[in-house]
Amino acid sequence: MYWELELILFIFLLITAVIALESKDLLVASVMLTMFSFLMALMFTTMGAVDVGFTEAVVGAGVTGILLVVAIYQTTYKTED
Amino acid sequence: MTNRSPSPIVLLGTRFLSPYIMVFGFYVIFHGHYSPGGGFQGGTLLAAALLLIRIASGTKLAQLQFKDYLARPLAAFGVFIYFGTGLLALLMGGYFLDYGELPIPGLEPAYLRYWGILIIEIGVGLTVMTVLTLIYDNMVKGEDYA
């Protein structure tokens, strides 16, 4: 129905996913995963699943980002591979 | 990363933002039965408000908002609310979580279901909030990131 909006969201979703996979700094990767979650929530809302999108926005962009940052503080910033 | 000086701007910003997130979390819980949201989403918003203060001001100062030894008993109490309501309906002759059989006097069955769903969602939100705070407290145990 809103295919133009979905196309733009898909393009940004792919960009954030590739940056999160290819980045050497893990803090950048976790922030990109948070952005991925928020774009995914916008896509769920566009498709009409408001409840699923709300859960994704709250859990993926709220709590998971904090827990990932704490996990990075306790290990290391750079990837080994 | 632990030897940075604390930033008063970040602390003031999170102190300003945290109560509003918490009010929105309560709104989501108490409107869960006729709008998107519910116990899980509202509890996660309340946990996000607590974790924001915890990650910005450190574990010691965050004890003023929510003490960490309260997390485990309150999580158990939320599960007790959920299963207590379900088992009470079971004991009164209905099915498990059959809100129409709850022994609250002077209410129509439709209003019994209305209040039953609200009680369940308060229990779920309490458990989700305290368990997410407990996960954070156990991850940073012994160290302080403020």
Side-chain angles (χ1 to χ4, degrees):
Chain A
M1 192 156 134
Y2 305 102
W3 69 270
E4 298 93 348
L5 183 59
E6 284 190 21
L7 184 67
I8 294 171
L9 287 178
F10 258 120
I11 291 170
F12 277 105
L13 202 66
L14 280 178
I15 291 172
T16 53
V18 168
I19 291 176
L21 278 177
E22 295 295 326
S23 168
K24 293 293 178 198
D25 195 341
L26 286 179
L27 202 57
V28 172
S30 68
V31 171
M32 281 299 150
L33 273 183
T34 307
M35 284 178 64
F36 182 86
S37 271
F38 193 72
L39 290 172
M40 204 69 216
L42 287 181
M43 283 192 56
F44 280 138
T45 312
T46 311
M47 292 174 188
V50 184
D51 210 351
V52 182
F54 192 25
T55 310
E56 178 76 28
V58 167
V59 175
V63 177
T64 312
I66 295 176
L67 293 183
L68 280 176
V69 167
V70 171
I72 287 171
Y73 273 175
Q74 294 197 341
T75 53
T76 173
Y77 275 83
K78 300 292 177 187
T79 53
E80 294 293 327
D81 45 73
Chain B
M1 292 303 296
T2 55
N3 53 3
R4 278 188 309 186
S5 61
S7 159
I9 297 174
V10 172
L11 185 56
L12 203 65
T14 52
R15 276 173 56 194
F16 174 76
L17 200 58
S18 175
Y20 292 103
I21 299 176
M22 207 173 275
V23 166
F24 185 60
F26 280 120
Y27 170 82
V28 169
I29 287 180
F30 286 108
H31 287 247
H33 37 286
Y34 41 74
S35 69
F40 183 76
Q41 287 94 333
T44 315
L45 275 171
L46 293 177
L50 294 182
L51 293 187
L52 199 62
I53 289 290
R54 261 159 215 262
I55 207 169
S57 72
T59 311
K60 271 199 189 62
L61 207 54
Q63 300 302 311
L64 296 173
Q65 192 188 27
F66 187 75
K67 304 231 183 323
D68 56 354
Y69 62 81
L70 280 179
R72 217 174 294 250
L74 279 180
F77 185 62
V79 178
F80 175 74
I81 290 175
Y82 185 92
F83 274 98
T85 310
L87 288 177
L88 193 61
L90 191 65
L91 288 179
M92 297 309 287
Y95 295 111
F96 185 68
L97 290 178
D98 185 5
Y99 310 113
E101 302 287 338
L102 286 178
I104 304 172
L107 280 180
E108 301 279 320
Y111 283 99
L112 269 180
R113 293 178 198 280
Y114 182 94
W115 289 104
I117 294 173
L118 188 61
I119 293 169
I120 289 293
E121 280 181 350
I122 288 172
V124 171
L126 193 61
T127 302
V128 169
M129 177 189 85
T130 49
V131 165
L132 284 174
T133 313
L134 198 62
I135 290 173
Y136 177 83
D137 281 342
N138 280 319
M139 279 178 83
V140 303
K141 189 167 280 292
E143 297 173 57
D144 211 350
Y145 296 115

